[in-house]
Amino acid sequence: MPPLPGAWTRCQTRPDETATPSSPRSSRVTSPARVIGGVDPDDTSDPAATRAAIEAAQFVVSLEQRLTDVAASADVVLPVAPVADKAGTFVTREGRPRPFEAVFANPGSLPDLRILVGIADELAALGQGTALGFRTVHEVRAEMEAMGPWDGVRPALKLGKEPKRPKPKAGALALSTREAAARPRLPAGR
């Protein structure tokens, strides 16, 4: 998908105007606004419910690097820095933090954190929330450390069906995993 050239919007009404059925968000919608960063509905436990929540929101802000399904349905898309241009922390499925540092220094590239802090600060100034309480990646990491790992119930991993293995054609080469290659195929003693 093509990268996003800059912030863009598909919202046709201002917050003080009444939405019409032809506008992206109908006035019948009562779900709160959503800020969504780098989430693919298909990666969630219930993709249909995730898509429904996005569509039901009064206003959607998407933080993305490319035009995705979420960005296409958002009212405002704010382009964020690619991983190489920002420091951060990934959290594995086991809950282990994996910090990384910025590889490149691109002053025109806005990290997600800077955008989220800016949104939170503006909302706090309007009396619609509170500031996040941190401004740097190191402060976020310290907050994550203080909170500790997730201690709640984890959903069971649902494995799909075993994929069908293709049958190689006569004379064709087949690739193998290290595990399969390590198993001897010759009879013992040869």
Side-chain angles (χ1 to χ4, degrees), residues 60-150:
V60 176
V61 176
S62 176
L63 309 180
E64 290 288 349
Q65 295 172 13
R66 292 176 178 71
L67 183 57
T68 63
D69 290 344
V70 173
S73 65
D75 295 293
V76 174
V77 178
L78 301 173
V80 295
V83 172
D85 287 358
K86 61 186 172 189
T89 301
F90 290 114
V91 178
T92 68
R93 290 186 185 256
E94 294 86 23
R96 291 181 275 170
R98 296 291 184 242
F100 59 91
E101 300 304 323
V103 176
F104 303 110
N106 183 353
S109 195
L110 289 177
D112 310 50
L113 176 61
R114 186 168 167 195
I115 294 170
L116 291 171
V117 166
I119 291 171
D121 287 349
E122 289 297 319
L123 287 172
L126 295 171
Q128 298 295 313
T130 59
L132 294 178
F134 44 74
R135 299 189 81 70
T136 68
V137 170
H138 299 292
E139 291 172 339
V140 172
R141 288 178 181 159
E143 180 82 12
M144 287 176 67
E145 183 72 28
M147 287 174 29
W150 172 259

Side-chain angles (χ1 to χ4, degrees), residues 39-48 50-51 69:
V39 174
D40 184 342
D42 290 331
D43 290 339
T44 64
S45 61
D46 190 344
T50 302
R51 285 185 176 86
D69 290 344

